Amino acid sequence: MKTEIVKINRERFTEEELEFAARCLREGKLVAFPTETVYGLGGNAFDATASARIYEAKGRPSDNPLIVHIAETEALKELAEDVPESAYRLAEAFWPGPLTMILKKSDKVPKTTTGGLDTVAVRMPSDEIAAALIRLSGIYVAAPSANASGRPSTTKAEHVIEDLDGKIDVIIDGGASAIGLESTIVDLTGEVPLILRPGYISAEQLAEVLGEVQFDEAVLKRSASENVVAKAPGMKYRHYAPKAPLYIVEGKSEEVIRFINTEAVKHAAEGRIVGILATEETKKYYTGGMVFCAGKRADAETIAAGLFDTLRSFDETGVGVIYSESFADNPLGTAIMNRLLKAAGYHIIHPNEDGEH
Ligand code: AMP
Ligand code: MG
């Protein structure tokens, strides 16, 4: 299949420029589009064939449900049942924006879209291109992240082309995603609202609106041996992983840098190049290996925006092993570490505790 690339200048574009993509969505075709979180791979949420095609293009397991993207809060009435009043308060506070709500699904939503579940995930993106496309298409757009299953999510059209060219109908190139991490997912179907995936909207922000909110146990997991089953089906899969094994190195900055520099020498002696995921503040201290800078430690938003792009970059370099710095335990740091831990298969090294490593 030939994939059409439609370039859109987000500073000034007209609806006509999106009409072709919107028509494709209406016809049951697949369109990748930018959102403020990551790029989404969209199809008609009410068309079981379109959602089946999304799973096929991504190579995604069919029990991993899709998020339905909407342009008006009104849509909740058609997509969900028994919508709690808290959902409207969250919508008022955070929509359009990077928050996904899990609600009881209506009969109109096919189970192919929800991975067989009786609940549906709904989000209203704030990205102007995404919002205009959904509105113009006149449908609800089921859209998982536009990456091949298992790979880091896509934050640029180039990443989508890498993973999905020839497998989908259209890719809208609207430049880089502003946030760079997927939406916060909050489940409103239980007694207490549960965060199934941390994101840009923090637990603290949700608590301000909801009163009480808890993390699903799986979100805070820090080791592969913790055998907790994630409530968001997608969170149980191996995800975001670069081709080379990735280790997170934790400790004081000097210890981390010394450990990684020593490893770089050892690996070089055996003919292996070490990839290093570093930051603006630390990159100058690395003496070997191939250093990639994810962003600025003092500004966590830059790390969030650069993380997936950096993880993808390693795959083009032929590095044999990757060491990454660890990130702080602040609200956005929780979302960053959640993705990084998955990418690393929960492999964490503490150089000072492990002695001679
Ligand atoms: P992605 O679209 O790639 O960001 O993935 C969507 C995420 O939302 C996955 O982790 C899904 O498991 C999760 N999700 C979607 N629908 C539901 C649902 N009904 N219940 C729980 N998690 C969901
Ligand atoms: Mg995904």
Side-chain angles (χ1 to χ4, degrees):
M1 169 191 308
K2 166 133 177 47
T3 303
E4 294 289 337
I5 314 278
V6 178
K7 211 168 164 58
I8 300 285
N9 178 350
R10 65 173 54 252
E11 305 304 325
R12 57 187 149 77
F13 63 91
T14 60
E15 287 198 344
E16 286 75 59
E17 292 175 80
L18 289 173
E19 188 44 60
F20 170 68
R23 193 173 66 236
C24 284
L25 283 173
R26 271 195 301 278
E27 290 170 353
K29 294 179 176 161
L30 303 191
V31 176
F33 60 96
T35 85
E36 72 278 21
T37 58
V38 298
Y39 270 68
L41 173 56
N44 185 347
F46 284 171
D47 176 349
T49 315
S51 37
R53 286 190 59 211
I54 292 178
Y55 288 104
E56 190 188 322
K58 277 179 64 86
R60 179 170 178 134
S62 60
D63 69 341
N64 188 358
L66 312 174
I67 296 174
V68 180
H69 291 67
I70 61 173
E72 308 282 348
T73 308
E74 273 293 284
L76 287 181
K77 293 200 177 81
E78 208 177 345
L79 292 166
E81 270 172 21
D82 306 334
V83 179
E85 186 257 329
S86 58
Y88 290 103
R89 274 188 282 136
L90 286 178
E92 181 69 30
F94 302 113
W95 278 359
L99 178 71
T100 296
M101 297 187 223
I102 307 292
L103 300 161
K104 195 169 150 203
K105 85 169 191 72
S106 74
D107 291 339
K108 286 191 178 170
V109 185
K111 283 212 170 174
T112 37
T113 298
T114 65
L117 298 175
D118 292 325
T119 52
V120 61
V122 189
R123 177 167 107 80
M124 188 196 293
S126 63
D127 182 287
E128 303 87 348
I129 298 173
L133 176 70
I134 298 164
R135 187 166 291 116
L136 210 58
S137 73
I139 60 167
Y140 303 129
V141 181
S145 51
N147 54 287
S149 190
R151 293 209 76 204
S153 300
T154 48
T155 55
K156 292 175 180 173
E158 291 81 348
H159 300 159
V160 185
I161 293 170
E162 243 169 60
D163 283 16
L164 298 173
D165 192 26
K167 295 181 176 163
I168 63 176
D169 300 282
V170 181
I171 297 173
I172 298 179
D173 179 353
S177 290
I179 294 174
L181 295 179
E182 307 89 339
S183 58
T184 306
I185 302 180
V186 63
D187 183 349
L188 299 176
T189 62
E191 294 262 295
V192 178
L194 264 192
I195 297 174
L196 307 190
R197 176 170 74 186
Y200 188 81
I201 306 288
S202 67
E204 289 77 2
Q205 284 175 290
L206 293 175
E208 271 179 36
V209 176
L210 295 170
E212 192 183 5
V213 63
Q214 287 172 7
F215 278 105
D216 177 25
E217 246 185 296
V219 169
L220 303 172
K221 167 172 156 165
R222 286 190 52 94
S223 104
S225 61
E226 281 174 60
N227 211 359
V228 283
V229 177
K231 287 217 169 55
M235 299 293 276
K236 72 175 183 264
Y237 292 107
R238 182 172 163 274
H239 215 196
Y240 312 125
K243 289 181 190 133
L246 166 65
Y247 298 90
I248 302 170
V249 188
E250 281 190 343
K252 287 200 192 109
S253 186
E254 325 67 279
E255 286 166 1
V256 169
I257 291 162
R258 193 180 323 126
F259 173 84
I260 294 176
N261 279 336
T262 310
E263 287 302 301
V265 173
K266 275 198 237 166
H267 283 283
E270 290 165 16
R272 255 191 316 275
I273 304 169
V274 166
I276 302 171
L277 192 150
T279 52
E280 284 297 341
E281 289 89 340
T282 56
K283 64 181 184 193
K284 58 179 175 291
Y285 300 114
Y286 291 102
T287 50
M290 209 172 263
V291 183
F292 283 86
C293 181
K296 211 165 157 196
R297 218 159 245 292
D299 181 1
E301 298 200 1
T302 63
I303 311 267
L307 183 68
F308 289 139
D309 186 47
T310 310
L311 287 174
R312 279 180 175 264
S313 305
F314 288 116
D315 285 349
E316 288 147 30
T317 60
V319 295
V321 56
I322 304 163
Y323 293 100
S324 172
E325 297 179 6
S326 185
F327 296 95
D329 203 9
N330 52 37
L332 193 53
T334 304
I336 293 168
M337 284 306 289
N338 172 268
R339 308 316 192 270
L340 197 55
L341 280 159
K342 273 177 203 295
Y346 300 94
H347 289 119
I348 308 176
I349 296 172
H350 294 102
N352 55 342
E353 287 164 25
D354 295 355
E356 286 294 302
H357 207 96

